């Protein structure tokens, strides 16, 4: 993977799990939009700033022409303006979307855009041996406890339970 466009929920989950530093160790060029950054709390922005400064995270300003293109696209009403910029940038950059948002992922799937979420991130961190299986399982358990999105999705809970069994070995 060369490029990934990340939304706010991923940045928030990574900060809450204390995995931001590890995330930016992955071999990828990360992108997001000013719209996404504006959705974040100040402490999230401060945590991301060193990665912007180092060039590991590129923040894109959406110009007037691009906003018109976004407006003309038939996005679901449930998508925020920031979500739309993530999907727009992913298509423009031929990048994957990194999001836990179901509506974002569903739109990406229907439109041929590859997408990944927190489980994929944890898998990647394990693959490059940045974290251990035990640490990954602890982070996943914390994510389940603290984020209602992960508690109310039966398919996701099933997949998380499989990972926990593997990672705890």
């Amino acid at each position: 993977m060369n490029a990934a466009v990340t939304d706010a929920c991923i940045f928030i989950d990574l900060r809450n799990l204390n995995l931001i530093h590890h995330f930016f160790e992955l071999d990828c060029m990360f992108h997001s939009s000013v719209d996404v950054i504006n959705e974040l709390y100040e402490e999230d922005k401060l945590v991301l700033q060193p990665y912007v400064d180092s060039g590991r995270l590129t923040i894109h300003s959406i110009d007037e022409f691009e906003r018109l293109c976004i407006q003309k696209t038939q996005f679901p009403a449930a998508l925020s303006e920031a979500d739309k910029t993530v999907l727009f940038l992913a298509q423009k950059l031929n990048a994957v979307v990194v999001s836990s948002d179901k509506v974002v992922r569903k739109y990406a799937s229907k439109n041929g855009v590859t997408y990944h979420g927190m489980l994929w991130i944890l898998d990647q961190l394990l693959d490059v041996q940045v974290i251990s299986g035990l640490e990954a399982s602890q982070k996943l358990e914390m994510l389940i406890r603290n984020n209602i999105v992960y508690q109310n999705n039966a398919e996701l809970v099933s997949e998380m339970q499989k990972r926990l069994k593997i990672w705890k070995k």
Side-chain angles (χ1 to χ4, degrees), residues 12 18 61 67 69 89 97 119 136 144:
I12 293 165
N18 199 26
S61 294
R67 293 239 182 247
C69 291
L89 286 171
V97 168
L119 289 176
I144 295 167

Side-chain angles (χ1 to χ4, degrees), residues 35-167:
D35 300 67
V36 168
I37 299 305
N38 287 338
E39 285 187 327
L40 299 173
Y41 292 115
E42 284 305 312
E43 60 264 25
D44 295 316
K45 294 175 188 178
L46 289 172
V47 169
L48 292 175
Q49 192 59 51
Y51 304 102
V52 173
D53 294 343
S54 70
R56 295 291 298 139
L57 174 61
T58 302
I59 306 299
H60 297 264
S61 294
I62 305 298
D63 65 31
E64 188 176 328
F65 175 76
E66 292 170 323
R67 293 239 182 247
L68 288 172
C69 291
I70 291 170
Q71 287 175 353
K72 290 180 182 178
T73 303
Q74 296 296 314
F75 286 113
L79 287 174
S80 71
E81 289 304 310
D83 292 337
K84 292 174 188 177
T85 66
V86 167
L87 292 160
F88 173 82
L89 286 171
Q91 290 178 315
K92 176 182 174 181
L93 301 170
N94 194 29
V96 301
V97 168
V98 183
S99 174
S100 299
D101 187 301
K102 187 175 183 177
V103 180
V104 170
R105 294 164 61 95
K106 187 174 180 180
Y107 180 88
S109 176
K110 284 186 176 181
N111 289 278
V113 177
T114 303
Y115 62 89
H116 300 294
M118 282 303 300
L119 289 176
W120 176 84
I121 293 169
L122 291 169
D123 286 337
Q124 295 303 301
L125 295 175
L126 277 164
D127 286 350
V128 297
Q129 300 178 346
V130 172
I131 61 173
S132 68
L134 178 61
E135 187 176 1
S137 62
Q138 290 169 340
K139 299 296 185 180
L140 184 54
E141 287 170 338
M142 186 185 309
L143 187 64
I144 295 167
R145 273 193 316 274
N146 298 332
N147 192 322
I148 197 162
V149 169
Y150 296 94
Q151 298 167 4
N152 292 332
N153 181 324
E155 182 181 335
L156 190 55
V157 168
S158 173
E159 189 59 38
M160 289 186 291
Q161 294 303 326
K162 288 180 200 173
R163 295 273 202 322
L164 286 171
K165 287 178 186 176
I166 295 168
W167 294 343

